[in-house]
Amino acid sequence: MIDGAPGDAEFGFELVTCRWAERVWPPDRETEAVPVVARQLGTRNRRWDTVVVEADPEGLAARAAFGERTLDSDLLHVVRNAPADWAWYRDALPDPGYPWRYVRAAVHRADARGVVDTRRDGNRIQIRRVASYPDWVCRLVAVENKPDLSASAARALADQLDHDVSTALADEVWVATAATGETAEPALLEDLPVEAGVLALEFDGDGVDSRVAWHPATLDPDAEASSPPDDRADKRLELAERAYGSGWRSYVGTMRPDCRWFELRERAGAFVPWCAEKKCHQTAVECAGSCPGFEPEPPAWRTRGWPIEGGPGKGIQRLLARRRRRQRGLNGE
């Protein structure tokens, strides 16, 4: 591993792992599915470092008709059930199990975003779909990133992976760790569930070399009886939608690219944040307005170009947004 590589810290390791997954996923089999990669997603009881949605290419292209942003559970209820012809929304949509006034609010949001058409018939709101919502999600994969899998970290991770295996919300669970070069990677010697796969990643200046140290079991979401199958399917789709809307480059939204010291540096094929003041790859927690080294960009930086487009921080945000759109097959210009 190169000196100072982002793999030295879990945040940087996570970003490089996401970029690697975006390029080569899956590592252990052939598929025509397109990987949609996100980070720090999960449910109320569990959050994963990396989520890979294996998407059907045609379905993913059709999903673009509903825009770049996430469709939350309320919007999905409207979009997936909107009729081909005009109908009163309460006739068209299944009973949601909660007050209809919330559905009415979701219909207005859906209309504002252009994902359904609406019109009034007297005091009734009628809806019509703009397109059929596609079946674009093939598989859901969860990855935990542990560059340095110490014994204490392995113990904590084992409990988390046991939860993932037992709930089977994802089709596969993996542990990604930094390669050590040993014949048996240390992760294989820890007491991790045998159903979890192990990836050994080694970074160089241009990319990532990967090796599957242990193949995962394919989990069966339908075999878990703790919740109804329809609820589980809805939850998986909601996770996929969140992954589609956020991607893994959304980290810039919780950091301070408007700081004069904030830069992006390419590491192993990924753009990773770099603090020019501290001379290191900072973490998302460190890079905040409360950082003692934070300095806003000088006003002169923000008035370059015509019309005024902002400083380097705005440029970084536009760059990452373009790359996210291109990966999803949307117009990245």
Side-chain angles (χ1 to χ4, degrees), residues 10-29:
E10 191 162 324
F11 175 65
F13 182 92
E14 188 172 292
L15 298 186
V16 173
T17 299
C18 286
R19 178 56 177 152
W20 165 82
E22 197 173 64
R23 285 176 163 177
V24 307
W25 192 270
D28 60 340
R29 55 189 161 80

Side-chain angles (χ1 to χ4, degrees), residues 179-192:
T180 62
E182 299 180 20
T183 304
E185 291 293 338
L188 297 176
L189 306 179
E190 300 295 344
D191 188 20
L192 302 178

Side-chain angles (χ1 to χ4, degrees), residues 99-173:
W100 280 100
R101 65 178 181 274
Y102 297 115
V103 179
R104 185 186 179 99
V107 167
H108 285 305
R109 287 199 294 127
D111 178 51
R113 286 179 49 173
V115 295
V116 295
D117 292 329
T118 67
R119 71 180 187 184
R120 283 193 172 272
D121 180 20
N123 64 349
R124 290 188 169 187
I125 298 175
Q126 296 184 332
I127 63 173
R128 182 181 65 180
R129 71 187 181 204
V130 298
S132 296
Y133 184 84
D135 183 14
W136 63 278
V137 179
C138 299
R139 301 174 86 245
L140 194 67
V141 180
V143 183
E144 285 298 310
N145 300 307
K146 294 294 179 185
D148 181 14
L149 194 60
S150 63
S152 60
R155 286 193 295 272
L157 184 59
D159 291 338
Q160 295 172 337
L161 295 176
D162 280 332
H163 177 271
D164 296 338
V165 170
S166 64
T167 57
L169 190 59
D171 295 279
E172 289 178 357
V173 293

Side-chain angles (χ1 to χ4, degrees), residues 89-304:
Y89 76 95
R90 289 187 62 164
D91 286 341
L93 304 178
D95 189 333
Y98 49 82
W100 280 100
R101 65 178 181 274
Y102 297 115
V103 179
R104 185 186 179 99
V107 167
H108 285 305
R109 287 199 294 127
D111 178 51
R113 286 179 49 173
V115 295
V116 295
D117 292 329
T118 67
R119 71 180 187 184
R120 283 193 172 272
D121 180 20
N123 64 349
R124 290 188 169 187
I125 298 175
Q126 296 184 332
I127 63 173
R128 182 181 65 180
R129 71 187 181 204
V130 298
S132 296
Y133 184 84
D135 183 14
W136 63 278
V137 179
C138 299
R139 301 174 86 245
L140 194 67
V141 180
V143 183
E144 285 298 310
N145 300 307
K146 294 294 179 185
D148 181 14
L149 194 60
S150 63
S152 60
R155 286 193 295 272
L157 184 59
D159 291 338
Q160 295 172 337
L161 295 176
D162 280 332
H163 177 271
D164 296 338
V165 170
S166 64
T167 57
L169 190 59
D171 295 279
E172 289 178 357
V173 293
W174 291 80
V175 177
T177 188
T180 62
E182 299 180 20
T183 304
E185 291 293 338
L188 297 176
L189 306 179
E190 300 295 344
D191 188 20
L192 302 178
V194 296
E195 295 87 350
V198 177
L199 284 166
L201 305 179
E202 183 174 3
F203 305 97
D204 58 36
D206 299 320
V208 179
D209 291 328
S210 62
R211 182 172 67 88
V212 178
W214 186 265
H215 291 267
T218 298
L219 306 177
D220 183 4
D222 294 329
E224 170 55 37
S226 62
S227 59
D230 288 347
D231 291 348
R232 297 173 58 76
D234 289 346
K235 188 173 294 185
R236 285 164 56 88
L237 181 57
E238 290 164 20
L239 281 169
E241 273 289 337
R242 289 168 57 198
Y244 183 91
S246 63
W248 63 270
R249 296 174 178 87
S250 56
Y251 64 83
V252 75
T254 58
M255 302 180 78
R256 296 303 302 261
D258 58 331
C259 176
R260 69 176 300 157
W261 306 116
F262 189 97
E263 300 176 3
L264 292 180
R265 292 196 174 184
E266 189 170 0
R267 293 289 185 269
F271 283 128
V272 180
W274 173 266
C275 179
E277 197 269 338
K278 296 181 179 179
K279 303 296 190 294
C280 68
H281 289 290
Q282 72 274 41
T283 68
V285 174
E286 292 172 323
C287 189
S290 58
C291 172
F294 172 76
E295 291 186 36
E297 295 172 338
W301 290 10
R302 302 182 181 183
T303 57
R304 293 173 184 169

